[in-house]
Amino acid sequence: GQNIDQPTEMTATEGAIVQINCTYQTSGFNGLFWYQQHAGEAPTFLSYNVLDGLEEKGRFSSFLSRSKGYSYLLLKELQMKDSASYLCAAMDSNYQLIWGAGTKLIIKP
Amino acid sequence: GAVVSQHPSRVICKSGTSVKIECRSLDFQATTMFWYRQFPKQSLMLMATSNEGSKATYEQGVEKDKFLINHASLTLSTLTVTSAHPEDSSFYICSARPMEGGGWETQYFGPGTRLLVL
């Protein structure tokens, strides 16, 4: 079956770095997405990886290893506004998104 | 970036009534739109995939006669919750995939509609 695993909750300190991991198993693979979702709001797109390696975009970076079925989202210089849920989603061979349950990130001063 | 709107943002209705939610892609055309439901502290649950000009594809366990989806144009899809009951209270989110061009794989989300059925 198809499955996405990511930690339920993580806590980090303002100004620090945090890495949120995601492993996936899908029927075929057409890319890995990361979305940010603040409480009570819809998800917003953060990144898309389809090739192996690290994609850097400002304070956020996303990494993909297709052979390992593994991705991570790296957040640097954490700010209080980064407190949110981070959703990992893999696109299968039918171009459907398979969603993880999300990782709630708590930032402490 | 691509913008998707939803209307209404919040609705309260009585049990047994029907509620229509609109999803519009404002600055791009979308042949495919998706409808999700999200319960508190849970992840997104795909309800159905809506393709312009054809019938929607519903996920297992989602009643197509209860959740009516119409995708009449390349910029508008509607979800109607018929005979709503309190257990239908949830956060309904639509997303749209651009028809062509760079980033076509990406889904852009609307702001969501919070439905409360009394």
Side-chain angles (χ1 to χ4, degrees):
Chain A
Q2 307 200 100
N3 191 52
I4 305 286
D5 282 318
Q6 54 181 127
T8 304
E9 187 174 296
M10 298 182 71
T11 302
T13 305
E14 188 178 16
I17 299 173
V18 71
Q19 178 175 310
I20 303 174
N21 296 323
C22 171
T23 57
Y24 64 89
Q25 289 179 306
T26 55
S27 301
F29 180 73
N30 280 299
L32 193 291
F33 293 81
W34 283 97
Y35 283 84
Q36 180 191 59
Q37 185 178 26
H38 285 100
E41 299 180 11
T44 55
F45 170 77
L46 288 179
S47 67
Y48 170 64
N49 294 64
V50 68
L51 299 176
D52 290 348
L54 185 69
E55 296 266 351
E56 297 186 72
K57 193 184 296 184
R59 294 190 298 115
F60 293 5
S61 302
S62 56
F63 171 83
L64 175 68
S65 169
R66 288 172 297 172
S67 62
K68 295 182 180 179
Y70 167 69
S71 173
Y72 67 73
L73 180 69
L74 190 71
L75 293 77
K76 302 177 183 177
E77 301 170 15
L78 286 170
Q79 301 175 9
M80 297 303 292
K81 68 178 181 179
D82 297 330
S83 292
S85 286
Y86 291 86
L87 307 177
C88 171
M91 183 173 279
D92 67 12
S93 57
N94 294 319
Y95 298 98
Q96 295 280 56
L97 282 179
I98 312 301
W99 292 89
T103 298
K104 183 179 180 181
L105 178 62
I106 300 169
I107 309 296
K108 295 186 175 181
Chain B
V3 178
V4 176
S5 71
Q6 263 183 259
H7 178 79
S9 58
R10 187 182 298 266
V11 58
I12 302 173
C13 69
K14 293 182 179 180
S15 184
T17 60
S18 294
V19 175
K20 180 186 281 189
I21 303 170
E22 291 187 350
C23 177
R24 293 181 185 272
S25 56
L26 298 184
D27 52 0
F28 65 96
Q29 292 183 323
T31 48
T32 305
M33 289 185 172
F34 303 86
W35 287 97
Y36 294 86
R37 182 167 51 184
Q38 186 176 35
F39 292 105
K41 298 183 180 180
Q42 295 186 23
S43 190
L44 300 173
M45 187 178 73
L46 180 64
M47 298 175 67
T49 301
S50 167
N51 292 297
E52 186 265 339
S54 63
K55 291 184 179 180
T57 303
Y58 289 81
E59 296 300 302
Q60 195 172 9
V62 178
E63 300 174 59
K64 62 179 181 180
D65 294 331
K66 180 170 181 62
F67 299 98
L68 301 178
I69 291 173
N70 183 278
H71 193 155
S73 77
L74 289 172
T75 59
L76 173 64
S77 177
T78 60
L79 167 69
T80 301
V81 183
T82 62
S83 187
H85 288 94
E87 58 265 29
D88 298 323
S89 299
S90 187
F91 191 43
Y92 291 87
I93 310 172
C94 74
S95 71
R97 179 183 289 162
M99 196 171 157
E100 59 189 10
W104 68 268
E105 311 89 347
T106 304
Q107 293 183 28
Y108 296 95
F109 286 85
T113 297
R114 193 162 300 282
L115 171 64
L116 177 61
V117 184
L118 302 177

